[in-house]
């Protein structure tokens, strides 16, 4: 399966911006539920995931944060409110950048937060210019996530921290042809995931020191079936945007992924040596 280029990904987010707004709202990432009895809405659960990752960083008021793949800006706007950070969000979608800027202005945070169109494969920032680099569910889109992590290491100041939320290959692959096909789907196809050992060693190769790595797969997994439910409920509208074939393919991916224990989710942080 060929991975779309950054330009194609940005075009996709631009083209489907209205649909994504209606489907997922302000956060374009997975939710976090405590357990099966947790009745949190998608909105509450996605904000919670932001809070979980932020809780792993000792964020100080005034810290300068770069959000790689910022969506419509909700995570960084939230951190602007809760932790009084200053920051820049970058996205490969022009519409997202525009919306994020409007949303920050509406929240009264335009003096501290800005957004710009940029490809994370070539971050347009000087060396050592951020206290925190944050990438929540964006690295799986990148042609080479390790290159982006090396870029993150470059723009972090010594002592600065990297925070990542990303998909993860877990050891529970299951067996048989069906399981093998699912591993291919996520490994080589839509997500390109690796296991935690490889993830951590790539972070070390980038010159960063891993600090925390929390496998939150059991908390985030309901996101796939909720995505399938939400998507199926707007079939007619979604088909107008993406066509019947792409709709079926996406729905089938969500359903397969909701029943794929090998597809996990990790929150991790790392520090650039001082
Ligand atoms: C699943 S969304 C996550 C958005 C946001 N982090 C959030 O949590 O709501 C993925 C984001 O990655 C961005 N992205 C994908 N490839 C990119 C690239 N090469 N450079 C910059 N942003 C990219 C997309 O434009 C989108 O904003």
């Amino acid at each position: 399966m060929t991975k779309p280029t950054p330009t194609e990904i940005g075009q996709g987010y631009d083209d489907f911006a209205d649909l994504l707004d209606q489907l997922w709202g302000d956060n374009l990432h997975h939710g976090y539920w405590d357990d099966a009895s947790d009745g949190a809405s998608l909105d509450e659960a996605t904000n919670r995931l932001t809070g979980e990752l932020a809780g792993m960083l000792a964020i100080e008021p005034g810290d300068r944060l770069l959000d790689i793949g910022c969506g419509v800006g909700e995570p960084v706007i939230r951190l602007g409110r809760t932790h009084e950070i200053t920051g820049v969000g970058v996205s490969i979608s022009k519409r997202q950048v525009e919306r994020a800027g409007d949303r920050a202005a509406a929240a009264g945070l335009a003096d501290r937060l800005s957004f710009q169109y940029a490809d994370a494969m070539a971050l347009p920032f000087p060396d050592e210019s951020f206290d925190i680099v944050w990438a929540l569910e964006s690295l799986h889109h990148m042609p080479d996530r390790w290159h982006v992590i090396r870029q993150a290491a470059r723009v972090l100041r010594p002592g600065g921290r990297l925070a990542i939320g990303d998909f993860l290959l877990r050891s529970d692959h299951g067996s048989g042809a069906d399981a093998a096909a699912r591993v291919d789907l996520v490994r080589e196809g839509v997500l390109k995931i690796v296991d935690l050992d490889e993830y951590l060693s790539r972070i070390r190769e980038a010159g960063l020191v891993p600090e925390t790595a929390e496998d939150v797969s059991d908390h985030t997994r309901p996101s796939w079936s909720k995505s399938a439910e939400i998507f199926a409920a707007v079939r007619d509208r979604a088909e107008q945007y993406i066509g019947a074939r792409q709709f079926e393919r996406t729905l089938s991916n969500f359903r397969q992924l909701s029943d794929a224990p090998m597809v996990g989710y990790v929150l991790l942080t790392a520090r650039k040596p001082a």
Side-chain angles (χ1 to χ4, degrees):
M1 201 180 299
T2 321
K3 209 169 166 145
T5 63
T7 308
E8 288 165 344
I9 286 175
Q11 193 60 53
Y13 275 108
D14 280 350
D15 291 349
F16 307 133
D18 295 337
L19 180 65
L20 289 169
D21 274 359
Q22 290 158 23
L23 290 175
W24 276 278
D26 298 334
N27 286 306
L28 297 175
H29 60 246
H30 277 211
Y32 183 104
W33 287 267
D34 288 334
D35 52 39
S37 68
D38 184 348
S41 67
L42 190 64
D43 227 30
E44 287 164 334
T46 49
N47 281 328
R48 235 191 244 162
L49 191 71
T50 302
E52 288 289 323
L53 186 56
M56 294 176 168
L57 296 162
I59 304 179
E60 299 285 341
D63 271 351
R64 183 166 150 77
L65 179 146
L66 169 65
D67 185 355
I68 294 182
C70 61
V72 294
E74 180 59 20
V76 76
I77 289 170
R78 214 174 161 73
L79 297 178
R81 282 204 198 95
T82 54
H83 291 76
E84 297 175 36
I85 56 152
T86 64
V88 186
V90 297
S91 170
I92 198 75
S93 154
K94 294 185 175 120
R95 285 199 58 184
Q96 286 183 344
V97 167
E98 216 177 279
R99 279 217 57 213
D102 290 347
R103 297 185 68 252
L109 294 170
D111 55 334
R112 284 196 273 127
L113 302 179
S114 64
F115 298 88
Q116 67 188 70
Y117 174 82
D119 184 350
M121 294 291 289
L123 287 174
F125 302 105
D127 296 357
E128 303 187 0
S129 48
F130 291 95
D131 301 297
I132 297 170
V133 175
W134 169 281
L136 180 51
E137 218 170 298
S138 56
L139 295 180
H140 63 287
H141 279 311
M142 313 286 168
D144 179 353
R145 47 157 79 72
W146 317 123
H147 176 79
V148 178
I149 288 174
R150 288 193 293 275
Q151 289 275 305
R154 175 182 70 74
V155 301
L156 274 175
R157 67 158 171 81
R161 288 94 76 215
L162 172 66
I164 292 175
D166 198 359
F167 301 104
L168 184 72
L169 183 66
R170 298 174 91 210
S171 52
D172 185 3
H173 291 186
S175 58
D178 190 35
R182 284 187 209 175
V183 170
D184 280 353
L185 171 74
V186 295
R187 230 195 150 132
E188 303 303 331
V190 287
L191 299 178
K192 286 218 177 210
I193 52 179
V194 299
D195 65 25
L196 187 57
D197 284 349
E198 179 170 356
Y199 216 123
L200 294 177
S201 80
R202 297 292 200 140
I203 285 177
R204 284 189 200 97
E205 278 168 29
L208 302 172
V209 182
E211 291 204 317
T212 47
E214 200 178 320
D215 182 337
V216 293
S217 313
D218 293 341
H219 299 286
T220 56
R221 182 157 299 107
S223 307
W224 292 119
S225 52
K226 286 186 199 293
S227 298
E229 253 171 56
I230 294 171
F231 203 54
V234 295
R235 174 185 289 271
D236 289 348
R237 221 172 336 139
E239 281 186 354
Q240 282 169 19
Y241 279 91
I242 59 176
R245 255 183 78 210
Q246 183 59 32
F247 176 86
E248 283 308 334
R249 198 177 307 149
T250 307
L251 185 59
S252 148
N253 281 349
F254 285 149
R255 287 186 171 143
Q256 282 201 59
L257 289 164
S258 66
D259 184 26
M262 77 289 281
V263 184
Y265 202 103
V266 68
L267 296 180
L268 54 87
T269 64
R271 184 176 291 271
K272 182 165 174 173

